[in-house]
Amino acid sequence: MNKVLIIGAGGVGSVVAHKCAMVPEVFGEITLASRTLSKCDAIAAEVLARTGRTIATAKVDADNAEETAALIRQTGAKLLINVALPYQDLNLMDACLLAGCDYMDTANYEPLDVAKFEYSWQWAYQEKFKNAGLTALLGSGFDPGVTNVYTAWALKHHFDEIHTLDIIDVNGGNHGKAFATNFNPEINIREVTAECRHWENGEFVETAPMSRHQEFVCPDGVGTYEIYRMYHEELESLVKHIPTIKRAQFWMSFSPNYLKHLEVLQNVGMTRIDPVVYNGVEIVPLQFLKAVLPNPGDLGQTTKGKTCIGNIITGVKDGKAKAIYIYNICDHEECFAEVGSQAISYTTGVPAMIGAKQILEQLWKTPGVWNIEQLDPDLFMADLNVHGLPWQVVELTAEQAAVLKVI
Ligand code: NDP
């Protein structure tokens, strides 16, 4: 029987726990561990009520590799699913090496004191995992995650060569709060305030944050949204592993209200990640801000609307130019009815469960450290349709491609 250890009891951890519990033939015994035991217990109670399955809970400091390794040994876990924060990635990879356990996550490592998004730290574990006969799967959320798998699947089935990639992440949901982020506020704000980088003709080009934006019409009546170009971590691995890509860009939708609040918070220094001394105590403004903002895990109750995340890919097939759009539409209220979470946590947690399933079913059990696009996409794509994130693919005519200004 497969035993898994999920680390992190936030919005995403809750979805992963629910979705793993719904596939008992693969996830035989589940332990959910995090810094705050009461949050694990609350999720376990919800999982029991919704699925009838009992999952174990534990308290762990994921910044401590020895302590986590001891918990892995105690639970007998074969796979650790890291849905804590990006700061914990390296310690959790170390814990897996110490205890002989496979590893996976949904976000690349970030040092606490600098908003730097790159895979170098985790790629440096390649030989260690290979020599230990262990697998580490990086970035099995939606973006990164599904967007990488879409690209690998497009290359396998639709193109001889991919030339351009535009990943477009639209959240058309409304949570009814004055200001809130859909996932961990600290991680979210670090990401959107960072310099924008996109790939063009063999190098990353840097531009000011949010300096390029345009309208995007989502399919299937989801609506029209303003999307902003920003850096996102999957660009780094995708252009490395698919070297024919000439241009790769990532776009995300933001409402005028979100941007207004963010601008003010930035202007007054509340998004700073360096410590300031207040009443003799060092505090990091962004961490304090997280403490006063709504908890993303609680937004499900009020959020209405849909997400629409997908890739527009162009390239050549049999000598002819071709363009396709692969996307998923996910409804916030349907996610809440199924697992008690909004769609951002859902669209991250479902692919995390599917990535874990691929490893446990030995399909992706290859020693070493892998970005998700390096592995065969077909069964992952099939599982998306089965487990709640069905996708569509449409071929774009030259005319349609021209209308979509991202191309
Ligand atoms: P939350 O902040 O809601 O949850 C994080 C959890 O990790 C909390 O339960 C927190 O504990 C726990 N944690 C933090 N530090 C430690 C520690 N040292 N030891 C043990 N537990 C710890 O975040 P989300 O659920 O929104 O996000 C989880 C991850 O998913 C993040 O890495 C995020 O970047 C990633 N993500 C990926 C996406 C994708 O598409 N690829 C999209 C959205 C998110 P406590 O409750 O005590 O603070």
Side-chain angles (χ1 to χ4, degrees), residues 245-265:
I245 296 179
K246 295 187 173 93
R247 195 194 66 205
Q249 308 182 103
F250 183 94
W251 306 80
M252 193 176 272
S253 73
F254 296 102
S255 68
N257 179 57
Y258 178 97
L259 294 174
K260 178 184 76 182
H261 279 79
L262 190 64
E263 188 186 357
V264 174
L265 291 167

Side-chain angles (χ1 to χ4, degrees), residues 80-83 89-90 93 103-109 119 122 136-141 144 233 352:
L80 182 150
I81 304 174
N82 169 14
V83 280
D89 288 5
L90 301 186
M93 290 177 88
Y103 169 89
M104 59 157 285
D105 64 33
T106 65
N108 71 5
Y109 171 70
Y119 278 110
Q122 290 184 277
L137 174 63
L138 308 183
S140 190
E233 63 198 56

Side-chain angles (χ1 to χ4, degrees), residues 4 7 14 22 27 50 93 112 130 178 196-197 269 275 306 312 328 334 361 379-380 401:
V4 292
I7 307 273
S14 175
M22 289 172 184
F27 300 93
R50 286 201 179 88
M93 290 177 88
L112 243 180
K130 209 178 228 174
C196 171
R197 280 190 294 151
K306 294 185 166 113
I312 293 175
N328 162 263
E334 284 172 17
E361 289 178 328
L379 293 172
F380 189 103

